[in-house]
Amino acid sequence: MHTTTRALAAAAALTIGLTLAGCSTNSTGSSDNSSSSTSAASAHNDQDVMFTQGMLPHHQQAIEMSDMLLDKGSDVDADVVTLAKQIKAEQAPEIKTMTGWLKAWGEPTEASSMSGMDHSSMSGGMMSDSDMDALDKASAADTGKLYLEQMVEHHTSAVDMAGTEVDKGKNSDAIALAKSIVSSQTEQITQMKDMLASM
């Protein structure tokens, strides 16, 4: 009898323990979900805003450069065309994501012209009007090389901007995107340098 009683008591204790564990897991799970949704809107700092406002036009210009190359037709190097399509496919969704963050944070999608120093530091690596004009007017045969040269510079500055966000940002989503940019664009820089070396 004692053995049966002990076994029943142990089973009851185990059941209660599992029930309590289940309850506590569920309650923390639900609180985590609610806190993560609010953190997307509130948990950010000035660095997150500066990074997002700076990266938006950077991405937009990369897409514009890629469109210029793709408009040149079939005489452009096929590998460069593939890369340009890849850059567009990666960066277009990120533009939507970053725009959404700024709206959720109640911040403008463009950096204020009042913060001249901050904005100018974030615009490093952006192509000038004359750079863009040169790319636009280049022959199909020359466009591939010029695109790669400009995009190496463009990506290098994006990696620098993203690295600063990883070090100093607060918003977990923005930091995750910055890490992704560092990884993908560093890989593309290596790829583009190899392509240039073989031209």
Side-chain angles (χ1 to χ4, degrees):
M1 287 291 288
H2 280 312
T3 310
T4 310
T5 309
R6 263 195 232 115
L8 286 171
L14 183 62
T15 304
I16 291 167
L18 288 172
T19 305
L20 289 172
C23 288
S24 65
T25 306
N26 289 341
S27 65
T28 35
S30 61
S31 68
D32 282 351
N33 290 341
S34 61
S35 66
S36 65
S37 61
T38 52
S39 71
S42 60
H44 68 280
N45 60 15
D46 288 345
Q47 168 58 37
D48 296 320
V49 175
M50 191 165 71
F51 164 72
T52 309
Q53 287 176 336
M55 196 60 77
L56 266 177
H58 213 266
H59 272 28
Q60 287 161 348
Q61 189 178 62
I63 288 176
E64 186 181 352
M65 291 164 68
S66 299
D67 281 336
M68 283 182 183
L69 176 106
L70 295 171
D71 286 345
K72 297 290 181 179
S74 59
D75 289 336
V76 181
D77 184 288
D79 289 337
V80 184
V81 168
T82 300
L83 177 69
K85 288 178 179 176
Q86 180 187 344
I87 288 171
K88 282 189 67 176
E90 289 173 357
Q91 298 196 16
E94 291 174 353
I95 288 172
K96 288 183 182 177
T97 298
M98 290 187 288
T99 302
W101 290 343
L102 289 168
K103 287 179 180 174
W105 298 339
E107 300 285 353
T109 53
E110 292 181 14
S112 168
S113 56
M114 297 291 285
S115 58
M117 279 182 61
D118 288 343
H119 188 50
S120 63
S121 68
M122 292 301 284
S123 65
M126 290 283 281
M127 296 299 104
S128 66
D129 289 343
S130 61
D131 290 331
M132 296 296 281
D133 195 45
L135 184 63
D136 190 36
K137 290 180 177 173
S139 68
D142 296 336
T143 302
K145 184 180 181 193
L146 184 57
Y147 173 85
L148 292 174
E149 289 170 346
Q150 290 182 350
M151 197 59 80
V152 165
E153 183 182 343
H154 209 260
H155 271 26
T156 301
S157 69
V159 169
D160 289 344
M161 288 160 61
T164 302
E165 170 63 14
V166 171
D167 292 340
K168 299 180 180 178
K170 180 179 180 182
N171 185 270
S172 57
D173 291 333
I175 291 170
L177 175 61
K179 287 179 177 177
S180 172
I181 288 171
V182 170
S183 173
S184 65
Q185 296 201 19
T186 298
E187 188 177 318
Q188 286 173 350
I189 287 167
T190 303
Q191 180 186 354
M192 290 188 288
K193 286 181 175 177
D194 288 345
M195 290 163 76
L196 281 166
S198 65
M199 284 183 166

